[in-house]
Amino acid sequence: MPVISTPQAFNQDDLYVDLEAIIGYRLFLKCEGFNFAGSIKLKAATAMVEAAERDGLLTPGSVLVESSSGNLGVALGMIAASKGYQFVCVTDSRCNLATRLLLEALGGQVHVITEPSPTGGLLGARIDHVRALCASDDRYVWLNQYTNPNNHIAHYRTTAPAIARAFPDLDVLFVGAGTTGTLMGCARYFRTWHRPVRIVAIDAEGSATFGHTPSRRMIPGLGTSMRPPLLDTSYVDEVIHVSEAETIRMCHQLARHGFVFGGSTGTVVNGATQWLAQREQPVTAVAISPDLGERYLETVYQTDWVQDLYGEDVLHPRTATATAAA
């Protein structure tokens, strides 16, 4: 029986869902939403905070500040509450209401950016706001998930080894691309593993991560409006871009079988399904699910929101589409 004294001490790291009966292909989904922060971001948040404390950057009286679309903010807010730090999350108008309320329940402040930067979009505007806060008061400490190496080191040390233990015959790993911390940590780990593993990055259409022109994205999580500094494409074998309409359809398909996952999971599973559909030989495939779906009930799972943004027929069954590029 686990007994803990801090919320970050618990994380269910070995739960997988076999999706073959739902999507028609053998795919194991690693579920990362079963911890008190509700997402895979707990790993990166814990690693970055602990490193900042070891380095003397975080001290009593420090105010943590971070730019986040939601999940990392919640993880940092939870850890800050546990350790007695103040926390400010700088997000934007795409952040789910449930996430904002959760951040406030944890004692954090939420600054919502509504106007994009001329060159960096909403993400660039969020980062500009963080920098301004840090310049205004030396108590602010920005861990900077976009450049902090502990973001990917956390997954090199935890997520990837857990997958390797569970699937010693792994052939392909599907990982969503946001800050690319999870992607880079896992890709680096499997680059030197005992057998070759194909790393397939799943990104949202409208994301600039892999060199595409940025455009409107309404679902938080995957995708960026500028290339993530952590990204090293030499570790990525393929990239698949998935439209938000296909993300929503996949989320609803999973929910109809009892699995309510977040938007990023719908994107990753859709992209993985497209990749697997093009293969004649069976493979051992794993995809990473960053979070569960409760925080998306007013968006991805709300019919009016979905139809207002993506059209009346978005939830009608159809053949999923995605574009893949090496």
Side-chain angles (χ1 to χ4, degrees), residues 7-284:
Q8 59 269 29
F10 172 78
N11 184 53
Q12 177 68 43
D13 201 35
D14 58 357
L15 178 64
Y16 297 81
V17 177
D18 183 349
L19 295 180
E20 185 170 9
I22 301 175
I23 65 172
Y25 301 97
R26 191 166 179 257
L27 177 66
F28 297 98
L29 186 65
K30 188 178 194 306
C31 300
E32 291 280 355
F34 292 98
N35 56 59
F36 285 98
S39 80
I40 195 170
K41 291 293 189 177
L42 176 62
K43 295 175 178 179
T46 300
M48 291 191 295
V49 168
E50 290 179 349
E53 289 177 330
R54 287 194 304 270
D55 295 342
L57 299 176
L58 268 178
T59 58
S62 293
V63 181
L64 271 170
V65 59
E66 186 58 72
S67 160
S68 170
S69 62
N71 282 338
L72 183 76
V74 170
L76 285 174
M78 185 192 77
I79 294 171
S82 172
K83 290 176 172 286
Y85 298 117
Q86 295 181 62
F87 176 60
V88 177
C89 180
V90 180
T91 188
D92 59 57
S93 50
R94 294 170 299 186
C95 181
N96 298 320
L97 175 60
T99 299
R100 298 183 210 173
L101 294 175
L102 181 52
L103 283 161
E104 292 172 353
L106 290 165
Q109 296 181 39
V110 182
H111 294 189
V112 180
I113 303 302
T114 58
E115 294 298 323
S117 160
T119 56
L122 285 170
L123 174 57
R126 280 165 29 192
I127 291 174
D128 289 344
H129 186 78
V130 171
R131 287 179 171 143
L133 287 175
C134 292
S136 71
D137 191 328
D138 60 10
R139 291 179 302 162
Y140 284 105
V141 176
W142 180 26
L143 299 178
N144 195 350
Q145 63 166 325
Y146 309 105
T147 62
N148 194 318
N150 293 289
N151 187 345
H152 65 78
I153 289 171
H155 300 288
Y156 183 93
R157 293 175 175 171
T158 61
T159 309
I163 295 170
R165 289 192 299 269
F167 297 92
D169 58 345
L170 182 68
D171 294 309
V172 57
L173 179 64
F174 301 98
V175 189
T179 64
T180 69
T182 307
L183 175 64
M184 288 293 96
C186 291
R188 282 185 164 88
Y189 180 90
F190 284 111
R191 174 63 62 87
T192 59
W193 203 38
H194 71 89
R195 59 177 284 138
V197 173
R198 194 158 191 83
I199 301 297
V200 181
I202 311 296
D203 197 10
E205 284 188 3
S207 167
T209 298
F210 293 95
H212 289 201
T213 301
S215 60
R216 186 191 77 163
R217 291 175 293 107
M218 299 302 297
I219 301 174
L222 301 186
T224 61
S225 53
M226 51 190 183
R227 181 187 173 98
L230 293 177
L231 177 63
D232 183 342
T233 56
S234 69
Y235 288 93
V236 178
D237 296 299
E238 294 180 61
V239 180
I240 296 176
H241 287 86
V242 176
S243 72
E244 291 193 329
E246 295 296 351
T247 290
I248 289 166
R249 276 189 278 270
M250 180 56 73
C251 284
H252 283 255
Q253 182 179 346
L254 294 169
R256 293 299 178 266
H257 289 80
F259 295 104
V260 180
F261 287 108
S264 297
T265 299
T267 305
V268 172
V269 174
N270 180 273
T273 301
Q274 294 304 310
W275 191 93
L276 292 167
Q278 299 173 13
R279 299 303 180 276
E280 296 181 358
Q281 299 298 321
V283 294
T284 299

